[in-house]
Amino acid sequence: MKRLLLASIVAFPCVLAREVSAAPLEIASLTRTTTVDFEKEVAPFLRDNCFSCHCKTTTKGGLNMESAELMIKGGDTGSSLKPGKGAESLLLQAAAHQDDDLKMPPRDNKAKAKNLTPTQLALLRLWIDQGAKSTGRSERTIAWQPVPDTIGAIFSTAITADGQFAACSRANRVSIYHVPTGRLVANEAAHRDQVNALAFSQDGTLMASGGYREVKLWRRASIEGRPAKEPAVAKTDAKISRADGQRTITIEGNVAKLAGADGKVIAELRGNRLATEFTAARDRAMQVATGTVAFRKAAVDTAQKALTSAQERAKKSAEAVAPKQQGLAAKEKVVADAKTAKAALDKTLADADAELKKAEATLQDTVAKAAQLATTTTDALKAPVAVDANKLLADTTAALQAAAKARADRDQREAARKLAADKVEPSAKALTAAEEAAKQATTSKDAAENEVKLSKAEQEKTNAALAEAKSAVDSAEALRKKAEDALAAARTAATAAEQSIRAAAFSPDGTMVATAGDDTIIHTWSAETGAPIAVLNGHATTITALAFSADGELTSTESAGTSLAWSLAPAWRLERTIGSDTGASPFTDRVNALAFSPDGKFLAIGGGEPSRGGEIKILDVQSGSTSAQTPQSATVKFARDFPNLHTDAVLALDFSADGKFLASGAADKIARVIDLASGKVVKSFEGHTHHILGISWSLDGRTLATAGADNVVKVWDAATGDRRKNIEGYDKEVTSVHFVGAGEQVLTSSGDNKVRLVGLDGKEARAFSEVADFVQSAAVSADGKIVVAGGQDGVLRVWSATDGRTLGAFRK
């Protein structure tokens, strides 16, 4: 009894443990007559604990639980819902742990999903009992809270193509700086959520910012002259000094020399910035055209080598056919002779068979006759009647002799037949061997003739490729000539723009200097560095005088007597908003990437719901409201929509220089290229082992670079999709990548506090002054001369790309 009690006591905890582990979860009692709203009441806790494994991107067990319809459809084990029958529904049984073989969510799951609470289980059961009806997706109401002032990290940067303006986002604010003067010209709480993306249009007059489910477009107002109250007073001397005496301007013909207090010239102010930048752009186009010619010529060389190889192959294959045909003819003659010989031997054997058969018949006949005669003779001799014994004996002897002769003849025929048969077998083997040799010769001849066909086809193909390559060279040469002419014309125009300067003036704060003269245009410059700023048109004749008022307004007077006043502060205003962070929006979640097309007509917008799917929309920038009084756009037009192009959120976008292709990179580790004319994906690039955070086209469109959270930059051949190079040496995520100018260098930023210029061969060309913290983003001007970057420390840094000098550091 004691042993039984002891055994029970020992076993009881194990039994109890099994009973506890197998117990289903509690389902609360719920008394309710109102309809359960799936989207508001059920979907939230399913989203938190079920969707990570049962959604359109991850359908474990084949089950997608994102809608009632999909749950009714079910997965590998059938429908998970029986509308009206909650207790019988597999979904409730699994969630309530009523089935020992199917308990959801699994213990220690990676998504950290938790068991549903009794109340949640009760709601789920009631919803199913009420028919498992879908209430339709409703817009989520978000109770936004103010962003703390302590949050100041920069998550995105952008710079205008001309390098005049740089922008950065700190939390939900967007700041725009005028680079030459270092002025903060805009500082807006642009969104209520973190701003992850900024982009300027090619002409620098429009900026886009992306937040949660919305994009805002900001327009820079143009500077226009208006009639001045008083004319500007002309300076009579050639030297104009700044108020602090630290800078002076000396006018010498078509040059205004900016000098420091020591008299040393800091910069020569001459020409027209726009003409200079246009020339620089034409120069880049010329570099691309020259590179394209070289690339096409290399393709011609490759095609020519391939053609030469094909011609040699065709020649060798043609030369090989005749011997193969001759060999086959010889083999076929051997077969014919062997067939003739075998036929003769077969006839001899057949004749021998016939003779043997005839001799055998004769033998049988004579033997039968001899036997019959012997029997007759024997019987006759026994008879009482006298017979002629001698005659009988003679007849019998003759019959036996005839039989012996027939036997000898049969034996002779049999020997002849055996001799004939012995000759037939070798002849058959000889014929078989000859036929096999002929068959092999036929195969060899057919292969040689097929090689001739293949080599001819290859030759035709390589001929066509060579012709195409030569045509491409001609086209490239024509484009290069066109680019050369455009560059020459631009240089001529830039030189012509260097006309006599008649007036100059410093701004009251000493940050800017204005010059004007015979070209009838006002030019403003940085008083610190001489960097060009604005080009202002409004006069028809030579400008003779310039003067700044105390509040910074510029007055200009021309020889014809007209005077104009100019407010030089560049103003940015919100033009319109696409989407909403509180209501209906065309965007599913955060906007993570923005890119303007080269012509500025379209804006590519990338985002998507993390781990659920990526989306890309291309906005027709001209669509929607542009009224300053109604910045909220009523109607916008999306030229293209690419839902689920990626299986995770899109994080990077870039248009090719010709505007024909759009490259995208996403959290799904894949980069894709879309042909915008057809809307089809023409290339996919796989190789990153973590999120793709940056993507950039080379100016010639032949190379694509991607930056990843796997601490590497990958360089791809855009035409073939082949990976050309891995650029390594980063200790943390590479957060952005941009091709620099028309060369073969990329600008990269990374979490290891580095901003670098790197060649496509992987060699570092320049490292900019080390940043104090994680660098989130970098950008470079179109001419590759100005670099900006920002990160966790909230400082927007500006460098000269040519020598690495720090040009500015803008803090919050």
Side-chain angles (χ1 to χ4, degrees), residues 21 109 123 169 199 261 278 320 323 350 364 368-369 398 487 539 563 569 623 654 678 693 708 752 787:
S21 64
N109 60 84
L123 272 172
S169 63
F278 183 78
Q364 294 297 328
K369 287 181 178 180
L487 176 58
H539 288 284
S563 295
S623 67
D654 193 29
S678 65
L693 303 176
D752 54 7
V787 169

Side-chain angles (χ1 to χ4, degrees), residues 638-651:
F638 290 102
R640 288 280 188 181
D641 188 358
F642 302 99
N644 301 317
L645 186 70
H646 291 270
T647 58
D648 208 333
V650 175
L651 303 176

Side-chain angles (χ1 to χ4, degrees), residues 344-357 359 407-425:
L345 290 172
D346 286 343
K347 185 176 184 306
T348 300
L349 179 60
D351 291 345
D353 281 337
E355 291 294 329
L356 177 60
K357 184 177 181 181
R407 185 178 298 280
D409 185 58
R410 193 279 313 269
D411 290 344
Q412 183 180 3
R413 298 297 180 186
E414 188 175 30
R417 194 261 174 206
K418 184 177 183 304
L419 181 63
D422 290 343
K423 290 181 179 180
V424 167
E425 185 176 355

Side-chain angles (χ1 to χ4, degrees), residues 2 12 95 110 169 256 319 370 389 406 546 668 691 695 726:
K2 288 182 178 179
F12 182 72
K110 294 182 179 179
S169 63
E319 292 173 348
L546 294 171
D668 61 6
H691 296 13
I695 197 163
N726 270 1

